[in-house]
Amino acid sequence: MKSNVFAGLVAMAALFMSTGLQAQTMRPFLDFKTADAIRDHCLASADQAGHAVAVAVFDDGGDLMSYSNHGASPAAAAVAQWKGRSAAVYRRATRETATWNAPTAPMIATMEGGVPIFAQDGTAIGGVGVSGASSEFDAACGTRATEAANLLVTRPASKSK
């Protein structure tokens, strides 16, 4: 009986070893501190320019990580979230998605002001949406804030993650 139990344990150990333990690989991600820094940088830029804006920062799955409605209207607040989530999920600036003629696609923004966020290696890690000023200012504000965090709003040409 003991030999059967031992043989069973050896067989089970061999089975587990044959499946192999897969090493986990680290990939860049957007953390809360960086999301808050992007939000705060954009709010400071808008304040300096005399604009009341809402800023929403999302992770690569489209989950809200940081948000502030800095005196913008409730409508602008909703639009900032719409733009940011679209940029995160589609991994394209909303200026581009606005030209896709796909208005019924889920979560797609059709107004400029949302930009995707990429790590330096080209990994998509989120998106930021800004609303309350002109669409051009909104997009520039999100872009400058992302770049101030040492991140990118366009994926390097050789990457496709």
Side-chain angles (χ1 to χ4, degrees), residues 17 32 64 71 75 93 103 112 124 154:
M17 288 173 38
F32 289 106
L64 185 63
E112 185 176 9
T154 56

Side-chain angles (χ1 to χ4, degrees), residues 20-143:
L21 295 175
Q22 295 186 6
Q24 292 183 349
T25 57
M26 295 297 293
R27 84 179 210 45
F29 65 95
L30 184 63
D31 60 33
F32 289 106
K33 182 179 177 183
T34 305
D36 288 346
I38 291 169
R39 178 202 63 209
D40 293 346
H41 188 280
C42 191
L43 290 173
S45 294
D47 193 44
Q48 186 174 19
H51 298 297
V53 299
V55 180
V57 183
F58 292 83
D59 68 12
D60 67 320
D63 294 317
L64 185 63
M65 293 193 65
S66 187
Y67 166 78
S68 180
N69 179 358
H70 197 65
S73 72
V79 171
Q81 291 185 40
W82 175 55
K83 291 175 181 180
R85 183 173 285 118
S86 176
V89 171
Y90 290 99
R91 300 175 177 174
R92 298 285 189 272
T94 58
R95 180 178 186 178
E96 181 182 341
T97 60
T99 67
W100 288 358
N101 194 24
T104 59
M107 298 181 278
I108 195 164
T110 55
M111 299 176 71
E112 185 176 9
V115 294
I117 302 171
F118 298 98
Q120 290 294 321
D121 73 350
T123 302
I125 60 171
V128 58
V130 183
S131 187
S134 70
S135 291
E136 294 83 14
F137 179 88
D138 293 346
C141 190
T143 297

Side-chain angles (χ1 to χ4, degrees), residues 13-21:
L15 176 66
F16 285 124
M17 288 173 38
S18 69
T19 60
L21 295 175

